[in-house]
Amino acid sequence: DTAGDAAAAGGGGGVPMQGLPDGESASKVQPGQRWSKEDILQKRKDVKEFLELLSLNPTEQKLMVMATDMYVNQTLDKDDRLLALEELEELVSPIDNANDLHVLGALAP
């Protein structure tokens, strides 16, 4: 099924992909044909709903900041801080995320 394929290709992330059209059926409008006002309003509504779903899922950068904040928080238990550091280690394994640590100001001296 197309929605399942889209979810599988999307790399997970927790955003449900059902209801999203595939590239072939994304628009009923043919080249040179104009969209009706209702079509435009429906498209805007669909995009807004999808963006809201995306915003519910934290990015890896947000997770890195959260893990860093937990690690440097002296009031947390040592085990919790160690767990946060282990999570941060996993999050920075991709080089792009590791480079983002500096940009995010994480673990700055």
Side-chain angles (χ1 to χ4, degrees):
D1 107 354
T2 304
D5 294 342
V15 177
M17 300 299 281
Q18 53 270 39
L20 292 179
D22 59 42
E24 300 288 324
S25 63
S27 177
K28 298 175 193 170
V29 179
Q30 300 300 315
Q33 186 180 8
R34 297 185 60 93
W35 290 19
S36 70
K37 184 175 181 176
E38 293 79 24
D39 288 338
I40 293 172
L41 292 175
Q42 183 61 44
K43 294 279 184 194
R44 285 183 184 169
K45 180 182 174 196
D46 293 344
V47 169
K48 184 177 179 180
E49 288 175 8
F50 185 70
L51 289 174
E52 287 174 4
L53 285 173
L54 283 176
S55 70
L56 295 176
N57 297 310
T59 63
E60 287 184 333
Q61 288 74 20
K62 287 181 185 176
L63 292 172
M64 289 190 310
V65 169
M66 290 169 51
T68 302
D69 290 345
M70 287 179 65
Y71 173 69
V72 298
N73 185 346
Q74 298 288 326
T75 63
L76 291 177
D77 183 64
K78 180 181 174 183
D79 291 335
D80 290 338
R81 293 179 64 218
L82 185 58
L83 182 64
L85 189 59
E86 289 171 356
E87 181 65 25
L88 183 60
E89 179 183 26
E90 185 177 322
L91 286 165
V92 297
S93 60
I95 189 68
D96 290 335
N97 286 353
N99 289 333
D100 285 346
L101 269 180
H102 175 70
V103 174
L104 297 171
L107 299 177

